[in-house]
Amino acid sequence: MSTALPPEGPAGTVTPSVELRGVTVRHGAVPALNRVHATLLPGQITCVLGENGSGKSTLVSVLSGLRRHDEGELLVDGTPVRFRSPRQAREAGIATVWQDLAVAPLLSVWRNFFLGAEPTRGVWPLRRLDVDGARETTLRAMARVGVTGLDPDQPASALQAGERQSLAVARALHFGARALLIDEPSTPITVARQTLFGQSVLAARAQGLAVVVVTNNPRYAHLIGDRFLLLAHGHVAGNLTRDDVDADVLTALMAGGDQLNTLTDALTALHPELGER
């Protein structure tokens, strides 16, 4: 499938695939997210980092349609949206890869790929499932994200960690997602599998998707990310690029505290636009 060029705004500027403007989410009287600004551009990987309780899970819930924001604006391709369900988020072009629910384990690989959108051939009343076409399409789509040599008829439970997430990424690419939200697996995976998954993420970026990776691994984030959104207590504590920090500094900043606040203030003074994102 071909990838459309990113939409352009005034003076040739690229319209963000997804944008948050002052988004606030409250759990009772406690803000889980407090006036969060973020700009997710097509063809760019944004890594969201933060300790437990920083607001990462709430951000995922808002973008995936599980939770509506209480204040602020959420925009997709420049249009304000207010998702009432994950289905609405998917229809708007935001695909989510969940950390533990990337596949239906008892179904075959190709069934997982086409789940709910199975291809058919022929006309009614002789219409039937196009199994051969589904298998071939699945293999081609998986090869696009770097996964080869699969048996499309094997159950998804036979896939290794990393391959399951790659399957979900391949599916999002095939069905025309604009943005890809990845809730990184919480269980440790091998370097080989993490490399495979990283390859699929980079493939999504190359296809022009705005990619969001929620992770607790700053070194891995620095390896694949273009921007880094650091959350602390529901606030944006840092909005940085690869030019701003190296892997060691990003690792140190994960602890938060005065060092992060000092860097954020200094960068915002030099680049006021960071404070507006």
Side-chain angles (χ1 to χ4, degrees):
M1 296 178 62
S2 61
T3 302
L5 292 175
E8 292 190 352
T13 58
V14 177
T15 300
S17 297
V18 180
E19 186 175 4
L20 293 89
R21 297 179 180 173
V23 167
T24 296
V25 176
R26 295 188 179 87
H27 296 318
V30 179
L33 290 179
N34 195 347
R35 296 188 57 77
V36 168
H37 293 264
T39 301
L40 310 176
L41 296 176
Q44 190 176 88
I45 297 175
T46 299
C47 293
V48 180
L49 303 101
E51 297 181 340
N52 292 337
S54 63
K56 300 194 307 296
S57 295
T58 303
L59 180 63
V60 170
S61 296
V62 170
L63 293 177
S64 64
L66 286 173
R67 175 68 161 86
R68 280 180 286 174
H69 52 286
D70 297 309
E71 296 177 8
E73 284 189 310
L74 173 63
L75 298 93
V76 176
D77 288 339
T79 302
V81 296
R82 195 173 180 83
F83 299 137
R84 297 180 179 273
S85 68
R87 180 176 180 178
Q88 287 188 345
R90 289 193 301 270
E91 291 174 346
I94 299 178
T96 304
V97 180
W98 300 104
Q99 59 176 233
D100 298 318
L101 299 174
V103 298
L106 298 182
L107 297 181
S108 66
V109 172
W110 73 263
R111 282 279 190 180
N112 269 276
F113 187 85
F114 281 103
L115 192 61
E118 290 79 2
T120 59
R121 59 190 305 178
V123 295
W124 180 260
L126 301 177
R127 185 179 297 126
R128 62 189 185 280
L129 189 63
D130 185 5
V131 177
D132 290 339
R135 289 169 176 154
E136 293 173 4
T137 299
T138 299
L139 291 177
R140 286 198 303 269
M142 291 296 284
R144 286 176 63 194
V145 298
V147 182
T148 58
L150 285 180
D151 175 3
D153 291 314
Q154 70 179 341
S157 58
L159 297 176
Q160 301 296 319
E163 290 178 331
R164 291 191 292 271
Q165 283 74 27
S166 295
L167 173 60
V169 173
R171 188 180 192 277
L173 282 170
H174 178 76
F175 286 102
R178 297 182 182 88
L180 182 64
L181 175 60
I182 299 170
D183 194 12
E184 188 181 77
S186 56
T187 54
I189 61 177
T190 65
V191 171
R193 297 305 174 190
Q194 198 166 34
T195 300
L196 179 62
F197 184 38
Q199 186 174 344
S200 69
V201 172
L202 293 172
R205 180 182 68 176
Q207 294 295 318
L209 273 69
V211 182
V212 180
V213 179
V214 180
T215 179
N216 288 318
N217 188 334
R219 291 194 174 276
Y220 185 66
H222 196 272
L223 183 64
I224 65 170
D226 300 300
R227 297 196 67 91
F228 313 103
L229 185 70
L230 279 68
L231 297 179
H233 307 296
H235 295 267
V236 174
N239 192 343
L240 315 171
T241 70
R242 289 176 62 88
D243 293 332
D244 296 326
V245 289
D246 60 21
D248 291 333
V249 172
L250 189 61
T251 300
L253 292 178
M254 279 290 290
D258 293 337
Q259 185 180 11
L260 176 58
N261 293 331
T262 299
L263 177 60
T264 302
D265 291 342
L267 287 171
T268 302
L270 293 172
H271 304 280
E273 69 275 10
L274 292 176
E276 300 172 357
R277 294 178 178 178

